[in-house]
Amino acid sequence: SAGPFFKMMATQGGTATGMGKQKGDLYTTAITLFTHRHAMDMYERQVATVERLCRMYVNGFFVADLGNLCQLLDIMAGLVDAGREEFVEALCEMLHVCALPFVKEIASEEYRNFPALCDTLASLGRILLSTNRAVALAAGDALEKYAGAEDEAPATVSYHHQVLEHSKMTESLASALGDGSMQDKVMLLQLVRIVLELSRTRDLAVVLVESGCLLAVAQALACGFKSDVAAAAVEALWNVFELCPEAVAEVATEESVGVIKQLLDQLLSEGHRAQDKELRNELLVLVTYVANTKEAH
């Protein structure tokens, strides 16, 4: 009978006296709406509940709730990929909140929720492969912000990097990059910016090499010196080469060397702005690294 289900839904709609209880109930309500056999086609109510959840957590999702959040992200991303366009806006709203720092109620909470953090980052990585461009871009922005965490303490940034490494989201990032020749330059820039944030420490530089991201980043240099993609790609490659010299051999393929040469030729013949000259100098550093590896000969 559907009677008990609808009675339960009526009592979970925010009648709790405490704000914490109210928030917990709303997660339960949202997940139940998506998973219960009597509610799976209640699309308008599902969207309205997710939008209400985002308004309630407008300053960031709580670390303690990441298990529920991850479940909702996976469910909604699956629906969007199945062609349910009505969920796109609500999912993007959730991802925009994910781009904010996760809220800790006590200092040690992030450390005690390591698996849930890894699962959430892995989910965001999978959403990079969404068939919906707006959704994929929003997931990319959230990942870039988490990897950057510029305003956080060094210990927090270091912990974020551990989460990123163990989440294996770079496997999804590599799949999204493909061979680096995608026509959507806005999406390509977002992906290369994630690589750039991950390229700043040796451990993550090694992960980028192992996941196969670097050849795509090198190929992205073909966007040309006037593109923001090329500048981000050059900086990312330089970071990785400096921190992980063995990575140079991965990039020193005939095709990649050809792309680097093409970009350098463009800069020498057409790059007259100060920023072009700066990019040229940075590219020459990459050329030096590549020229000094036997794989390039």
Side-chain angles (χ1 to χ4, degrees):
S1 169
F5 164 73
F6 287 107
K7 184 176 180 181
M8 175 188 71
M9 295 300 292
T11 61
Q12 288 180 347
T15 58
T17 54
M19 182 56 76
K21 180 73 161 64
Q22 204 175 69
K23 289 181 175 181
D25 281 349
L26 194 54
Y27 268 114
T28 303
T29 300
I31 291 170
T32 303
L33 279 168
F34 282 108
T35 57
H36 196 284
R37 60 193 175 92
H38 291 300
M40 292 175 72
D41 59 353
M42 297 170 64
Y43 302 130
E44 288 185 11
R45 186 160 183 184
Q46 290 165 351
V47 168
T49 303
V50 170
E51 289 175 342
R52 185 177 167 201
L53 193 67
C54 291
R55 289 194 298 272
M56 190 171 280
Y57 287 95
V58 67
N59 294 317
F61 292 118
F62 281 34
V63 171
D65 294 327
L66 289 181
N68 288 326
L69 175 67
C70 188
Q71 189 175 352
L72 281 174
L73 287 172
D74 285 340
I75 291 170
M76 294 185 68
L79 288 166
V80 168
D81 284 344
R84 305 298 319 193
E85 291 288 326
E86 58 266 52
F87 291 103
V88 169
E89 192 172 340
L91 178 53
C92 284
E93 194 172 344
M94 282 188 79
L95 292 167
H96 292 325
V97 180
C98 286
L100 301 172
F102 296 125
V103 179
K104 297 172 284 190
E105 294 182 280
I106 56 175
S108 63
E109 198 162 34
E110 251 188 330
Y111 298 95
R112 291 192 288 112
N113 285 275
F114 185 79
L117 279 163
C118 290
D119 289 345
T120 303
L121 271 290
S123 179
L124 292 172
R126 290 191 294 273
I127 297 173
L128 287 175
L129 298 165
S130 175
T131 54
N132 184 281
R133 180 177 185 267
V135 167
L137 282 169
D141 180 57
L143 284 167
E144 181 189 353
K145 295 289 198 314
Y146 188 86
E150 294 173 357
D151 299 328
E152 301 283 359
T156 302
V157 174
S158 176
Y159 184 70
H160 281 200
H161 290 169
Q162 290 179 50
V163 173
L164 286 159
E165 181 180 355
H166 285 84
S167 73
K168 300 191 184 303
M169 53 73 58
T170 52
E171 295 176 7
S172 298
L173 177 59
S175 295
L177 279 164
D179 64 1
S181 62
M182 66 175 65
Q183 296 302 307
D184 187 343
K185 302 311 179 194
V186 175
M187 189 68 220
L188 182 57
L189 176 60
Q190 180 60 80
L191 296 173
V192 173
R193 279 179 171 163
I194 299 171
V195 173
L196 176 57
E197 291 301 337
L198 298 177
S199 70
R200 302 189 192 280
T201 64
R202 175 170 168 79
D203 286 346
L204 288 173
V206 170
V207 171
L208 286 170
V209 176
E210 292 175 347
S211 60
C213 289
L214 292 193
L215 279 176
V217 175
Q219 182 61 43
L221 297 174
C223 291
F225 71 93
K226 294 180 181 179
S227 165
D228 290 338
V229 176
V234 168
E235 185 178 354
L237 289 169
W238 186 356
N239 288 345
V240 175
F241 289 175
E242 193 169 49
L243 293 167
C244 185
E246 60 270 30
V248 181
E250 298 289 324
V251 178
T253 65
E254 184 176 351
E255 185 176 5
S256 295
V257 170
V259 172
I260 292 171
K261 180 181 181 303
Q262 180 183 32
L263 180 60
L264 184 58
D265 288 343
Q266 289 176 0
L267 283 163
L268 290 172
S269 60
E270 304 171 41
H272 307 300
R273 302 171 300 174
Q275 65 202 67
D276 299 335
K277 294 173 183 176
E278 183 179 346
L279 182 61
R280 178 199 65 198
N281 292 340
E282 291 174 357
L283 188 63
L284 285 170
V285 174
L286 297 189
V287 170
T288 301
Y289 273 110
V290 172
N292 287 334
T293 184
K294 63 181 182 181
E295 283 77 7
H297 300 282

